[in-house]
Amino acid sequence: MPPDRLRVVVGLAVALGLAVLLAQPKVKALEQRFGVTVLISAGVPFLAMGAIFSLDSVGILTPQVLLDLKPAFEFGLGWVGFVVGLHFDVRKLDALPASLGPVIVLESVVPMLTTAGLCAMALLGMGVPWERNAFARDALVLAACAAPSAPISMEIWERRVGRKAARMIDEVTSLDEVTGLALLGVVAILFRPENDTTRWVLPSSAWLLLTLGLGGVLGIVTYVLLRGAHNAAEELTLLLGAVALSAGVAGYLALSVPVVCAIAGALLANLPIRDLEGLKKTLLDVERPIYLIFLLVVGATWRPLEWQGWLLATAFVLARVAGKRLGAIWSKRVGPKELPSAGMLALALAPQSPSSIVLMVSAATLYHGYGLERVRWVINAVIIGGVLTEVVVRILEWRRRRVGVDLTPIPPTRVLPPDPPKPQADAAPVLSTTPTTPEGSA
């Protein structure tokens, strides 16, 4: 084996080993204990590792190697799409309060609108030319990345706002990822890549039907395959093949890979599968190392020193946090009464979901020919925006602790037994205090 190939194999093997090591339950427990996301705990080191591997002096993630890794890259996008789609369980939605639906809509749509507006102005300020298709596409993709919120730590937020309110917040963070993917699917349908990518010329309505139909067919195929699994090992093997098939077909047709796979996962979640919770656990266990390797590849094209990315990231963070805050204020008016205060709800939903980077890189992969500089800027905006959002959230939590607002843990309620009823024999006679008058008196 040539030395350069040996270097690539060893480097990728070391990265994969570290990804599996950082996916252990003890690492996840530490993240939940400190309330940080995977982007802060392990994501940034893998981004930095990818940037180091891409250096000419290191020569591991060269442009040719990145091109060869494209199928594995699309596989990771498809796996994340399946995980997001499995959250869309209709049976689970029926059990939620009816008034929680407007909360999910507000906490997804309002940050989208604020992010699209402010980031569009930032792009104009950086001198990006006004091109109707490309400009609107970039703003909508950034808006889609603003919708998802990071999963909360149930242990921490149950102490802060109570179990019922924490569960509602957790449901909001699960479903706003679906909203972001839905907007990304709309972008992929309305703004098609160049015709030489697919050699198909279809109207937008046909691409919509193709996306929905392909996702549905792949979901049914996955369901049929998983029904034949006899144990967990066979289920994982068949699931790997189903995700690879779904991601490969979607990538070949120049469709959004995570959107098609999310549709397949949503259909799979609503079919009478034997062990849905076990399937979700398998997907989540494998998702973390795949996501870290995904960030390793993203880090190879990451340029954190470009000032345009920092400027766009500042606009992205301000618009997203303001949108979540505004959505929390309106949600408190129309949502269930068990919701926490608007400040606490905005604080819980402010951290950015790791899937936002997946959405952005998925769009950049789909439109690989629309300008390398702008691709780097928007990817930097989402990556740096996730880190800056964590810093903003920590500052807000520190300020609330300093003034003693809302972050005081809720003490457990002690239920006292009811007083035993007194025996009737021991009951004292009730004396009337109403004065009586003799009969016939005036």
Side-chain angles (χ1 to χ4, degrees), residues 406-425:
D406 290 329
L407 290 183
T408 303
I410 297 179
T413 304
R414 186 167 61 93
V415 180
L416 298 178
D419 295 333
K422 295 181 179 180
Q424 295 294 331

Side-chain angles (χ1 to χ4, degrees), residues 133-221:
N133 289 339
F135 194 88
R137 178 182 61 202
D138 295 343
L140 289 176
V141 171
L142 284 168
C145 296
S149 298
I152 64 171
S153 173
M154 292 295 295
E155 180 182 356
I156 294 177
W157 283 96
E158 282 182 2
R159 294 197 305 264
R160 293 179 177 178
V161 299
R163 177 173 299 180
K164 192 169 184 180
R167 288 181 178 177
M168 289 183 180
I169 298 174
D170 184 61
E171 293 297 333
V172 174
T173 59
S174 299
L175 294 175
D176 57 11
E177 290 184 338
V178 179
T179 308
L181 272 178
L183 181 57
L184 182 63
V186 172
V187 173
I189 291 170
L190 295 180
F191 304 96
R192 296 296 304 160
E194 298 297 332
N195 294 333
D196 57 355
T197 304
T198 60
R199 298 180 179 87
W200 286 16
V201 180
L202 298 176
S204 298
S205 57
W207 286 115
L208 173 62
L209 295 176
L210 181 61
T211 302
L212 296 176
L214 181 61
V217 170
L218 292 172
I220 294 174
V221 170

Side-chain angles (χ1 to χ4, degrees), residues 75 79 236 240 281-291:
F75 175 82
W79 195 277
L236 178 59
L240 290 171
K281 184 178 183 303
T282 301
L283 281 167
L284 290 174
D285 290 342
V286 183
E287 180 196 22
R288 188 181 180 92
I290 289 178
Y291 178 74

Side-chain angles (χ1 to χ4, degrees), residues 341 344 396-397 399-408:
S341 63
M344 288 297 292
L396 293 177
E397 288 183 346
R399 289 184 60 186
R400 286 180 174 272
R401 288 193 188 96
R402 190 174 182 181
V403 299
V405 177
D406 290 329
L407 290 183
T408 303

Side-chain angles (χ1 to χ4, degrees), residues 21-23 44 54 104 124 128 132 171 201 207 217 239-240 242 249 262 291 305 318 357 366 414 428 438:
L21 181 63
L22 293 176
V44 173
S54 65
I104 298 172
L124 287 175
V128 176
R132 183 176 61 86
E171 293 297 333
V201 180
W207 286 115
V217 170
L239 189 59
L240 290 171
V249 174
Y291 178 74
L305 299 180
L318 293 177
I357 301 178
L366 183 62
R414 186 167 61 93

Side-chain angles (χ1 to χ4, degrees), residues 420-431:
K422 295 181 179 180
Q424 295 294 331
D426 297 336
V430 179
L431 300 179

Side-chain angles (χ1 to χ4, degrees), residues 335-404:
K337 62 180 180 180
E338 293 85 3
L339 281 177
S341 63
M344 288 297 292
L345 182 60
L347 190 65
L349 299 178
Q352 181 181 309
S353 174
S355 63
S356 297
I357 301 178
V358 176
L359 298 181
M360 174 54 65
V361 177
S362 172
T365 305
L366 183 62
Y367 306 109
H368 59 276
Y370 78 93
L372 181 59
E373 287 186 351
R374 193 183 299 179
V375 171
R376 293 202 308 265
W377 297 347
V378 293
I379 291 178
N380 287 353
V382 178
I383 294 175
I384 299 172
V387 178
L388 291 180
T389 303
E390 291 281 347
V391 175
V392 171
V393 170
R394 295 296 170 261
I395 293 175
L396 293 177
E397 288 183 346
W398 174 77
R399 289 184 60 186
R400 286 180 174 272
R401 288 193 188 96
R402 190 174 182 181
V403 299

Side-chain angles (χ1 to χ4, degrees), residues 1-14 58-60 65:
M1 180 181 294
D4 54 346
R5 294 184 182 180
L6 179 62
R7 188 187 310 119
V8 172
V9 172
V10 173
L12 294 179
V14 170
V58 179
I60 295 178
V65 173

